[in-house]
């Protein structure tokens, strides 16, 4: 693999933000390795149809053995990884007092422990090369609290903390670590969450100054920017908020709606 051919590893690449990120990076010349809990065949077919090169695996990245085996496959095929996108995540909507230990732990495992395992495994190779970029997909729920999401909020706050810690430890050895904090994105996860009846599209668009959901492409482009060491070479330990103004706006609803 020549030095100018960049290799990106993406978790949760079967759908939503992960799939769009994989497609966008492929369009920009990256070779890809993607993993998801289920085989990401539609994403692979789309990338290959556009002329991209990709390997894909199915597996539970909360398990060390799965992460280690995936890394061996990536390094056997490509020899290295230049970019890691920790995108895989799950949600849980329930009042804190009704959240079971099992459910709480599972969210933490997927949203926080898995990114650590991936960063530790692929980051070690990046540190040897003294070059690399890791992007953790957090959330506005990692910056502010959203009710009925104790496990999710905690996991995303923790992921931002992990991002800053790794940036502090690894930046001097050439590995940049940053986070992207999406606002509400119209993905399969949102559809599943809304099915429970806890919120509507209008609840979200009414809260956002730009009056719309984010798209997977909005988030993928932010990830691509942070991945590219030509475009963001001195950005390290940063939390890039892509929320349409959600966390910036302290207005009450009537004021916000008058501005449209």
């Amino acid at each position: 693999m020549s030095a100018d051919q960049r290799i990106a590893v993406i978790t949760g690449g079967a759908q939503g933000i992960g799939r769009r990120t994989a497609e966008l990076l492929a369009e920009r010349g990256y070779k890809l390795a993607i993993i998801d809990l289920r085989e990401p065949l539609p994403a692979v077919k789309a990338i290959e149809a556009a002329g991209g090169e990709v390997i894909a695996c199915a597996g539970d990245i909360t398990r060390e053995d799965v992460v280690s085996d995936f890394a061996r496959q990536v390094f056997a095929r490509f020899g290295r990884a230049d970019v890691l996108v920790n995108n895989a995540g799950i949600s849980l909507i329930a009042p804190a007092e009704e959240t079971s230990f099992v459910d709480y732990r599972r969210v933490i495992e997927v949203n926080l422990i898995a990114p650590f395992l991936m960063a530790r495994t692929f980051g070690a190779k990046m540190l040897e090369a003294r070059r690399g970029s890791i992007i953790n997909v957090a959330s506005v729920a990692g910056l502010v609290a959203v009710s009925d999401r104790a496990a999710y909020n905690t996991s995303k706050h923790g992921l931002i903390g992990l991002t800053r810690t790794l940036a502090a430890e690894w930046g001097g050895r050439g590995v940049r670590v940053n986070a992207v904090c999406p606002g509400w994105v119209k993905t399969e996860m949102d559809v599943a969450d809304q099915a429970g009846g806890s919120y509507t599209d209008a609840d979200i668009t009414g809260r956002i100054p730009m009056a719309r959901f984010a798209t997977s492409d909005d988030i993928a482009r932010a990830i691509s920017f942070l991945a590219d060491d030509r475009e963001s070479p001195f950005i390290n330990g940063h939390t890039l908020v892509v929320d349409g103004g959600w966390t910036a706006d302290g207005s009450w609803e009537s004021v916000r709606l008058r501005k449209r």
Side-chain angles (χ1 to χ4, degrees):
M1 190 66 59
S2 66
D4 61 345
Q5 290 180 310
R6 291 168 292 175
I7 315 302
V9 176
I10 302 172
T11 70
Q15 61 184 23
I17 294 170
R19 175 173 174 175
R20 180 56 195 142
T21 300
E23 292 171 348
L24 180 62
L25 293 182
E27 292 166 11
R28 296 182 174 182
Y30 288 79
K31 298 184 184 299
L32 299 168
I34 58 180
I35 188 168
D36 206 302
L37 198 57
R38 60 185 175 85
E39 198 73 41
L41 292 178
V44 170
K45 290 179 179 178
I47 291 165
E48 290 180 338
E53 182 176 346
V54 57
I55 61 172
C57 296
D60 182 353
I61 57 172
T62 68
R63 293 174 43 185
E64 285 188 271
D65 61 321
V66 170
V67 172
S68 296
D69 183 62
F70 177 54
R72 280 192 292 271
Q73 293 182 57
V74 173
F75 296 143
R77 174 73 170 269
F78 297 126
R80 68 176 196 276
D82 302 301
V83 173
L84 168 64
V85 181
N86 279 315
N87 166 73
I90 59 174
S91 66
L92 176 66
I93 300 177
E97 69 273 19
E98 297 175 12
T99 300
S100 72
F101 170 73
V102 171
D103 288 343
Y104 187 92
R105 181 170 64 182
R106 182 58 180 168
V107 173
I108 298 298
E109 287 175 345
V110 174
N111 294 3
L112 184 54
I113 293 176
F116 168 74
L117 294 176
M118 292 291 295
R120 185 184 65 179
T121 302
F122 286 93
K125 195 80 167 179
M126 293 177 180
L127 289 167
E128 289 178 9
R130 301 189 70 84
R131 177 186 177 187
S133 177
I134 297 174
I135 302 97
N136 294 319
V137 180
S139 169
V140 292
L143 300 170
V144 297
V146 182
S147 293
D148 295 334
R149 291 165 174 80
Y152 187 79
N153 294 346
T154 301
S155 71
K156 295 301 186 178
H157 275 76
L159 187 56
I160 291 172
L162 177 63
T163 299
R164 291 169 175 163
T165 301
L166 296 181
E169 291 189 20
W170 294 353
R173 288 180 280 171
V175 179
R176 298 180 301 111
V177 187
N178 294 287
V180 170
C181 285
W184 247 257
V185 187
K186 185 54 74 175
T187 63
E188 293 84 350
M189 181 184 289
D190 172 74
V191 171
D193 285 349
Q194 280 202 42
S198 61
Y199 67 95
T200 67
D201 279 5
D203 290 327
I204 303 305
T205 58
R207 179 64 183 81
I208 299 172
M210 292 185 70
R212 68 170 177 87
F213 280 75
T215 66
S216 293
D217 189 66
D218 291 326
I219 313 306
R221 290 180 183 279
I223 293 169
S224 177
F225 167 70
L226 291 173
D228 194 330
D229 57 11
R230 297 164 299 185
E231 295 186 353
S232 57
F234 203 57
I235 299 178
N236 184 43
H238 182 64
T239 301
L240 179 55
V241 182
V242 188
D243 69 351
W246 178 300
T247 53
D249 189 356
S251 305
W252 50 92
E253 187 175 13
S254 63
V255 172
R256 188 180 305 115
L257 295 181
R258 284 202 304 270
K259 299 300 180 183
R260 296 184 181 173

